Amino acid sequence: MCGIVGYVGSDENNTMEVLLDGLSGLEYRGYDSAGVALADNSIDVHKKEGELSALESALPDTTATAQKESVGIGHTRWSTHGPPSDVNAHPHTDADRRVAVVHNGIIENYQTLRDELVDAGVEFRSDTDTEVVPHLIGTYLDAGIDREAAFRRAIDRLEGSYAIAAVFEGSETIYAARKDSPLVLGIGEEGHYLASDVPAFIEYTDRVIYLDDGEFARLTPEDVIVTDSTGTVVETSIETIQWDAEDAGKSGYDHYMLKEIHEQPKALRQCLRGRLDELNGQVELEELGDLSRTGPVQFVACGTSYHAALYGATLLRERGVSAQAFLASEYDAEAIPVGADSMVVGVTQSGETADTMRALREANRAGATTIAVTNVVGSSAARECDYALYIRAGPEIGVAATKTFASQQTALTLLACALTDQGSRNLVRQLRAVPDQIQTVLDTSRAREIAEVYEDADAYFFIGRGYHRPVALEGALKMKEITYKHAEGFASGELKHGPLALVTENTPVFAMVTGDSEQASKTIGNVKEVEARDAPVVAVTDGQSNVGRYADHVLEVPAGDEITSSIVANVQLQLVSYWVANRLGRSIDKPRNLAKSVTVE
């Protein structure tokens, strides 16, 4: 969840500037402190609690403009061990400041290592688990072991998850290693980079190497060497990122989230490109090759991706397939029947979500066929699963997922059609129409007006049936994430089984009702229950039912298939949450306490 950046290169580049640019590119991941370490004849560390601007303000003028150091590492911290503070911020050093270390992950045996080091006379300055690493390295340096060997020995002692980078005094080298936490290397013309994610260095290079678990990297101004745990050189492939720094910018929008909401038509066109055969009413997913399904399908995911997984499981059950969606943190392959005939689908935007990766690894060990539905080419999920289905949403910087959720819904619709061979000309035509329908919503939405009316609500309820239920849950999650207001999502029929006790005249209920089916009629019945208790109702509807007559406000969506209408309806809920948060002055792109890529369990 923390962000790591590193650079080693020629004196033509200002190392501090590269590191600060990199940390700025990782702010979206969520953090509460930041720091940098420059290595020359000595280790120069600067770190500060708070936002990156606090660190920049604390830098001496001479440091901010210095160019003599050609190697450095930086870090944004999301607290796990110890509260946010200057002393707990990374990088951490050994007692003699010979080595500085940054770390993403959790060292599970840190207390044992810390006790061992304290008994040997080491004094700790922070509460973090990370600080054991530089002190371990320091003990090996004291024993006369060279830098790389000392780094490797320290890594060998660690249990848990980590992406770790270290620099040493008197050395123009970065040493790095990873296990269950992302780390990507950037190959540049005037130097080399490493980071937790590509946006940290995309303005400098688009050529990358993804480290695998158990691999080590040595970066110098001249080359990048990747080795395994024994020191044997590993053959690596350099991949080219298909987007640039401009794609990851705000493009004139006030917030990344608003930009990404408005990018959804483009994102879905990218998701659908080359995958629809309208003439024959078929879905063609070349990524899945000759994949065939024989047994049940299990989805594993977290947060927004879990809501997409619920949608995917509903799609498959409607097609006669036994399908369930599990919260990845609750998934236990020993307790849940999973075997060689099972298919386990991990839905993860980043492809690095720790809980989802653990669940997928359990499924792999159980012999199941695994599929990663992800946004990131070369991510851990994409590499470790048998198949990868990319959602093609492009970079998403806002912590609250928007375009990736719509792209996940769309990709899972394609997957359900492919697994069951149950496409149709009508569904394919409706999928093709979704980007234009979303654009219509973006052009005509009254969400901003409704946000003005209900910004002071005590709580917000979201209800829907069938394909709309996951969207109701997602609508509530968005409201919670970026407004810090209480919100809940329910299957419409469950409102009367308890939650109705919480409904008041200051609790707006957002009801999704599209089409004129029996499900729509039942949800209208639930709307009447709310209306009878004087709670305001906002109907998200295509107008095919008469729900509008019972609603205080209406958010319109174009008429479409019951499957695809939930993708479109969700956009109205995203806009409502955004405008409520905007009026409340919230930190929309970086909500408090949250991180974009959750790489710890």
Side-chain angles (χ1 to χ4, degrees):
M1 297 173 72
C2 308
I4 290 175
V5 64
Y7 170 72
V8 55
S10 69
D11 289 341
E12 296 177 18
N13 272 324
N14 182 334
T15 300
M16 178 63 81
E17 181 180 329
V18 173
L19 295 179
L20 293 176
D21 285 346
L23 294 179
S24 177
L26 294 174
E27 283 188 295
Y28 71 93
R29 294 172 67 88
Y31 69 105
D32 48 49
S33 59
V36 294
L38 299 176
D40 189 30
N41 293 326
S42 61
I43 300 287
D44 192 13
V45 175
H46 303 273
K47 51 187 184 176
K48 198 73 176 173
E49 178 189 354
E51 296 192 352
L52 184 58
S53 57
L55 171 65
E56 293 173 323
S57 298
L59 293 173
D61 291 339
T62 53
T63 301
T65 58
Q67 296 193 26
K68 62 178 182 177
E69 298 94 345
S70 61
V71 58
I73 53 177
H75 189 269
T76 54
R77 177 178 186 250
W78 190 89
S79 299
T80 55
H81 295 69
S85 68
D86 291 355
V87 72
N88 285 335
H90 297 210
H92 293 287
T93 69
D94 70 318
D96 297 324
R97 297 177 75 88
R98 294 165 295 178
V99 57
V101 167
V102 291
H103 164 229
N104 178 16
I106 291 180
I107 298 170
E108 295 174 357
N109 64 331
Y110 90 97
Q111 192 62 60
T112 300
L113 295 173
R114 184 175 179 126
D115 292 344
E116 173 187 314
L117 290 163
V118 168
D119 288 344
V122 172
E123 293 185 11
F124 281 77
R125 295 180 289 273
S126 77
D127 303 312
T128 69
D129 54 338
T130 302
E131 196 183 351
V132 300
V133 182
H135 288 306
L136 277 174
I137 294 172
T139 61
Y140 294 126
L141 293 175
D142 290 340
I145 298 172
D146 66 65
R147 297 183 183 105
E148 181 168 354
F151 177 77
R152 286 179 174 274
R153 286 202 185 184
I155 298 299
D156 286 345
R157 298 288 310 278
L158 306 182
E159 297 174 7
S161 63
Y162 52 78
I164 290 177
V167 292
F168 292 81
E169 64 175 2
S171 172
E172 291 187 335
T173 305
I174 301 176
Y175 298 97
R178 71 152 284 182
K179 178 178 179 290
D180 297 340
S181 197
L183 202 58
V184 58
L185 312 180
I187 311 303
E189 295 294 329
E190 297 179 345
H192 301 111
Y193 309 80
L194 63 78
S196 299
D197 203 355
V198 173
F201 55 69
I202 189 64
E203 66 178 284
Y204 297 101
T205 183
D206 60 1
R207 302 170 66 231
V208 303
I209 296 171
Y210 293 97
L211 277 191
D212 284 326
D213 273 359
E215 290 183 340
F216 290 73
R218 184 175 70 247
L219 288 72
T220 67
E222 293 77 29
D223 59 21
V224 172
I225 304 297
V226 177
T227 59
D228 63 17
S229 59
T230 68
T232 303
V233 174
V234 174
E235 272 194 47
T236 58
S237 60
I238 298 177
E239 301 183 28
T240 301
I241 300 299
Q242 299 302 316
W243 48 272
D244 57 29
E246 186 175 338
D247 292 327
K250 289 184 182 176
S251 303
Y253 288 91
D254 289 339
H255 298 94
Y256 284 112
M257 181 180 180
L258 186 60
K259 170 182 179 262
E260 288 154 5
I261 289 172
H262 281 263
E263 285 179 337
Q264 289 177 114
K266 176 184 176 182
L268 296 197
R269 290 188 183 100
Q270 291 173 168
C271 182
L272 295 170
R273 186 184 304 126
R275 291 169 166 175
L276 297 179
D277 181 348
E278 289 188 63
L279 182 62
N280 296 309
Q282 294 180 339
V283 169
E284 299 173 347
L285 297 177
E286 293 183 0
E287 302 97 316
L288 303 187
D290 58 354
L291 174 66
S292 61
R293 182 202 58 81
T294 58
V297 178
Q298 299 170 351
F299 292 87
V300 291
C302 305
T304 287
S305 296
Y306 173 67
H307 299 153
L310 288 170
Y311 172 85
T314 302
L315 283 164
L316 285 174
R317 287 197 298 271
E318 289 285 334
R319 286 162 170 72
V321 176
S322 174
Q324 293 175 277
F326 295 90
L327 287 165
S329 58
E330 295 292 315
Y331 186 79
D332 182 349
E334 293 184 1
I336 299 167
V338 55
D341 67 336
S342 302
M343 180 176 291
V344 178
V345 181
V347 187
T348 162
Q349 185 281 136
S350 67
E352 304 291 349
T353 309
D355 290 316
T356 305
M357 289 307 304
R358 180 200 56 77
L360 287 169
R361 287 165 181 150
E362 284 193 24
N364 277 329
R365 286 193 291 270
T369 298
T370 53
I371 303 174
V373 178
T374 183
N375 195 35
V376 182
V377 177
S379 60
S380 294
R383 294 198 308 273
E384 294 185 29
C385 287
D386 298 311
Y387 300 89
L389 177 61
Y390 293 110
I391 66 173
R392 302 175 179 171
E396 185 177 69
I397 305 302
V399 168
T402 51
K403 66 176 179 176
T404 53
F405 178 64
S407 298
Q408 287 170 339
Q409 286 179 289
T410 303
L412 290 174
T413 304
L414 299 176
L415 179 62
C417 292
L419 290 180
T420 60
D421 196 25
Q422 290 185 33
S424 69
R425 284 196 182 94
N426 179 59
L427 178 56
V428 168
R429 189 163 52 249
Q430 291 292 337
L431 281 169
R432 185 75 76 189
V434 167
D436 289 337
Q437 292 175 338
I438 290 178
Q439 189 62 57
T440 298
V441 169
L442 294 171
D443 293 341
T444 63
S445 177
R446 296 179 56 243
R448 189 170 188 172
E449 300 169 34
I450 289 170
E452 292 176 5
V453 175
Y454 296 118
E455 65 176 290
D456 293 324
D458 294 333
Y460 304 84
F461 284 2
F462 298 80
I463 62 173
R465 288 176 183 266
Y467 296 111
H468 287 324
R469 176 181 169 247
V471 175
L473 298 176
E474 176 62 13
L477 179 61
K478 284 294 148 290
M479 188 67 77
K480 284 183 276 197
E481 285 179 319
I482 65 170
T483 72
Y484 314 153
K485 304 268 279 191
H486 183 72
E488 293 293 341
F490 305 100
S492 300
E494 287 301 299
L495 196 61
K496 60 184 174 291
H497 294 291
L500 203 57
L502 300 175
V503 168
T504 71
E505 61 184 12
N506 203 28
T507 310
V509 177
F510 292 78
M512 282 170 289
V513 184
T514 59
D516 58 357
S517 66
E518 183 181 355
Q519 282 197 335
S521 298
K522 288 181 178 180
T523 300
I524 291 172
N526 302 129
V527 166
K528 291 178 181 178
E529 294 166 357
V530 169
E531 182 193 36
R533 287 153 180 85
D534 296 324
V537 174
V538 180
V540 183
T541 181
D542 56 8
Q544 294 189 57
S545 69
N546 65 347
V547 68
R549 67 185 293 183
Y550 306 107
D552 297 88
H553 302 276
V554 170
L555 289 170
E556 297 179 353
V557 297
D561 184 277
E562 67 170 338
I563 294 173
T564 60
S565 64
S566 66
I567 304 174
V568 182
N570 177 62
V571 179
Q572 291 282 22
L573 303 185
Q574 293 173 346
L575 289 168
V576 171
S577 294
Y578 172 82
W579 287 115
V580 171
N582 186 272
R583 292 187 62 81
L584 294 173
R586 304 305 193 212
S587 178
I588 291 174
D589 288 332
K590 294 177 285 183
R592 67 188 183 197
N593 303 331
L594 301 182
K596 181 67 175 176
S597 181
V598 184
T599 54
V600 295
E601 292 186 48

